Each structure stands twice: as structure tokens, then as C-alpha cells.
Amino acid sequence: MGKDEMVWWIGNGDLNLIMRRLAILAALAAITLLGAAARAPHYPGTYSESEAADLDKLSAYLNSIRTLKSNFVQLGPEGDLAQGEFDLSRPGKLRFSYNPPSPILIVAAGGDIYVKNSRLNTVDRTSLSDTPLDILLNQNVDLRHNTAVTGVEEQQGALIVHARANTTRSQSNITLVFSAPAIELRQWMVKDNQGGVTTVALTGVQTGVALPDALFAVPVKDPAPKKN
């Protein structure tokens, strides 16, 4: 897969100073939080009482969300910065729309995730279960009994959930960061199969907003230009 086709990051666009600082802060948080991401999984009944309560609280928050819309800033494994709009419709749908000059559009629907590169005019598809973001899109989120979840911890006014992809085909993992005590999804860090870390920080989160179904339409290649 070429640089322009990477799923979780793209672009060297000129971000304004505020966006750049936000991405750098998110990167610093990733360095702090990802140290515990690779750990042996907990199984039902093995969490402490406080850990179980935290996971139940976070599950209730995620289950209360049917739609979510926000801006995002993304820092890729090689320091590339990008920004755009993130949309989520539970169960099963999400969309990352990257601002120009990035040519990337990412849509998850129907159990698969699609990555369109308008510059190369390609559309790549993979199973959503091979990505750790699948944890956000279940019909009924139950983090305490989800064997993909490998741990939960409190840290500096945040609740942090560590999880891995649901299939053995992928070794990627994710660290989800929620604000606390007022619960809100703030950012996540994905560690891919090659060990690269991508950080996504959300800003201006809105829930319960109307999101048209067309927003999550499966992307297709652009039609070839007609020959004269």
C-alpha cells in the first residue's frame, strides 16, 4: 500500500497554528497513554469493582449515542498532519472526510470499511472487524464483557480504554480516551500492524444530530473521462 493509500492518516496540508498545536498535544498524550496498550486481555469477572463500574459507565455513554459529528485533527506515524470532519451513526457507520489537499475519504458501512483516494481513483475495502474502531459501532456496546477490551484506567481526569481488533488477522490495537467525570469521547490512538501510531483528536463534538444516509454511501471510483 502506497503512502497516499494509508487508511488511518494522510496529507501534508498547511494547518493553521491552532490545529497544529492541537495535533502536537494529541501526540504527546499518545506517548503517555499508549505504554499500556499491549497487555493481556481481561475476561468477564476479572475486573476490579471500580474498573467494572468505569466500563459500564462508558458503555452506557456509547449506547446513548446514535449519531455523532465533530471536527478532527490527525497526526500520523510519520508526523503528517491532517484535519477534517468525523461522522458516526450507530450501529455500523462512520465517515472521515479529510479536508483538501488530502484526497482521502473513509466510510464504514455494511460491516466493511472503504478508503477512496480521489487522486489515484482507487477504492480499497477491508472488513471493519479487522480494525479496532469496530468497538465504537456495535449495536449494543458492553465493554466489560467484550474480550477485545484489554484494560481500563483512570488518568488525569480521563478514563482510558485499551482494546485490540476483534480478529486474529490484525494485530492492531486502540486506546480510547474519554473525559471524566463528565463523559465524552475525546481522542483515540491506533497502533497498526507495523507498529505505527496514529492519533485522532476530536473537537466540537455534537451528538444526536441529523445525519443523512447518503453521507455513508459506499464510495465508488470516479467515472473515466469520455473520449472524443
Side-chain angles (χ1 to χ4, degrees), residues 55 60 84-87 94 104 108 111 124 145 168 191 203 211 215:
L55 289 172
E85 181 178 297
F86 172 65
D87 301 289
L94 62 75
I104 296 298
D124 296 318
H145 296 97
T168 57
K191 187 174 183 179
T203 62
L211 297 177
L215 202 63

Side-chain angles (χ1 to χ4, degrees), residues 56-132:
D56 288 345
K57 187 188 307 181
L58 294 174
S59 296
Y61 163 77
L62 291 173
N63 283 323
S64 73
I65 296 173
R66 285 294 168 259
T67 60
L68 182 149
K69 183 184 189 73
S70 77
N71 298 317
F72 73 85
V73 177
Q74 181 172 291
L75 180 65
E78 296 182 8
D80 288 9
L81 296 172
Q83 60 180 317
E85 181 178 297
F86 172 65
D87 301 289
L88 179 146
S89 179
R90 298 185 52 255
K93 298 177 182 177
L94 62 75
R95 173 187 171 103
F96 292 90
S97 178
Y98 289 80
N99 293 346
S102 170
I104 296 298
L105 171 67
I106 299 174
V107 176
D112 290 318
I113 191 162
Y114 301 83
V115 182
K116 179 176 181 177
N117 186 319
S118 58
R119 184 182 300 145
L120 301 177
N121 198 20
T122 59
V123 177
D124 296 318
R125 181 182 72 175
T126 190
S127 173
L128 185 59
S129 63
D130 285 337
T131 75

